[in-house]
Amino acid sequence: MEILKNYIKGRWIESKEKETIDVINPANQEVLARVPFGVKTASDIEDAVAAASEALNEWRHMPVMRRVQPLYKLKLLLEAHTEEIARLITLECGKSYAESVAEMQRGIENVETACATPTLMQSEFSENIASGIDEFMIRQPVGVSACISPFNFPGMIPFWFLPYAIACGNSFILKPSEKVPLTMMKVFELIDKLDLPKGLVNLVHGGKESVDALLDHREVRAISFVGSTSVARYIYQRGAANGKRVQAQGGAKNPVIIMPDADIEMTAKIIADSVYGCAGQRCLAASNIITVGDTKGFVKEALLEAAKNKVTGFGLDEGVEMGPLITPESKARIEQLIEKGLAEGASLLLDGRGASISGYEKGNFIKPTILENVAPDGELIKTEIFGPVMSLLTMESLDQAIEVVNGNNYGNMACLFTSSGLNARTFRNRAKAGNIGINIGVAAPMAQFPFSGWNDSFFGDLHGQGRHAIEFFTQTKVVIERWPKEWTRKF
Ligand code: NAD
């Protein structure tokens, strides 16, 4: 069985850590590879930081127009290898092949957006800000940057950061999720073809030990994290205490309100896609579905119809729309949450537990599940489920529904389905979430916009993607200059 190597200083090298854990196909428990995992991965980080610091000297002085040239090549390479990468995503992460292809498309769009860095990095100049004095701002790279990524989008999330970081003149270290390291192994084979300075972009495997080594290393100046809220909070606190800039995107619990004036058929389809896409393992998966007034009567049947027709199975099989959960532990946790919801008074409209998929009996499958009459302050409404479970609850008015939305500790996404502009305007103004959808089920910002989580869904101030990424990966320097006119000009 292959033991995965690190990519440091432009070479594939064995980890100093000999302990490994298995990388597993969640549809059938097949072991795909082994990944280094243990204390000595911290020493691999030392090597990667040394390589990244050295590469920085040359790279940061290169004109930005030249720094983005490898990104054009990377886009073409990623496009040419999308099918191969998407198959790997499905194998190790479980989502359907179509979802894996779509994920890669979103990643590539970030590479394209980062190609605009020569313009996005431009800054401000004020002539004659005081008599005979000019003032301007320069954006300079921050230095060695690191990204720690989660399991659920192994092909896309590193691209929320990597292309912007290097285009801005930084070097980069990626620590992918130990559950899904194969996708980035393939991507780094492509990165290896880019003729970047050795050590500019590095990949190191591991878990907490490698992350802590990044958080504590003096020369790492910026940390980008995406994962669960408890780890995001920890990363933010430890990184900030060590004087680094940190952007830490956390977990989510996304509410959706359906008004009586919504287009029910369209709404039900979109919401089912949002709840069950990627088996609910999406930080923008709709989870709490709040019907207003008598809407529930019409929408319930439509949601049930859309949910029960989702084809569940191994993501590389023809026609499969929904894959397994990432681990048996994750499956067990979700089943317990469903039990808790039932104990709190909810009832099952559709029960996806006990799913057995022919040929994949060992897979971590739960089929689409719907609970209704869920208690507004119950466990199901508060806790991130991260699985294919929809909780239905009813409120009397939009105001009451917004209160439920705003009562949540998370703030990644909130959506409204309506045909009223006034309802939409009220909602987008008052909902306490950073990504808002109006008649949209997955309000994922495109690459030009920041991925704007709020509250417990984000720690920091500058988010991933777009201009925020440019600001995160640069530090500003303000220059004020006096050239007195009394000084005689020589020519
Ligand atoms: P996770 O927090 O378990 O792991 C994320 C990364 O942190 C991994 O690389 C892991 O190795 C590392 N890690 C885990 N425990 C650690 C610890 N104690 N100390 C240091 N590092 C540690 O998250 P996950 O299960 O891989 O991903 C799912 C979570 O990510 C969900 O909560 C989901 O909502 C969230 N997510 C958020 C966004 C967003 O943009 N807000 C996007 C995708 C996923």
Side-chain angles (χ1 to χ4, degrees), residues 149-152 175 178 225-228 249-251 283 384 386 451:
S149 56
F151 83 80
N152 65 331
K175 203 298 286 173
E178 64 281 9
F225 172 84
V226 181
S228 57
Q249 304 191 192
C283 69
E384 179 175 39
F386 227 52
F451 198 101

Side-chain angles (χ1 to χ4, degrees), residues 348-359:
L348 275 163
L349 188 62
L350 183 64
D351 189 357
R353 294 172 300 170
S356 175
I357 309 293
S358 175

Side-chain angles (χ1 to χ4, degrees), residues 37 147-153 156-157 160 175-180 206-212 215 225-232 234-235 248-254 281-284 326 384 386 410 412 435 451 453 457-458:
F37 196 81
C147 166
I148 300 142
S149 56
F151 83 80
N152 65 331
F153 281 94
M156 173 185 72
I157 286 177
W160 286 354
K175 203 298 286 173
S177 164
E178 64 281 9
K179 296 190 180 94
V180 291
K208 181 169 169 50
E209 290 84 0
S210 51
V211 172
D212 285 349
L215 293 173
F225 172 84
V226 181
S228 57
T229 287
S230 59
V231 182
Y234 164 77
I235 301 263
Q249 304 191 192
K253 183 72 192 173
N254 302 308
Q281 297 172 117
R282 236 183 341 205
C283 69
L284 295 179
I326 189 71
E384 179 175 39
F386 227 52
Y410 294 102
N412 220 29
N435 298 300
F451 198 101
S457 295
F458 181 70

Side-chain angles (χ1 to χ4, degrees), residues 4 67 90 99 172 190 225 234 257 350 367-368 400-401 456:
L4 302 185
R67 289 201 303 252
T90 297
E99 288 171 336
F172 196 81
L190 305 179
F225 172 84
Y234 164 77
I257 302 174
L350 183 64
K367 284 191 177 177
Q400 265 191 7
D456 281 359

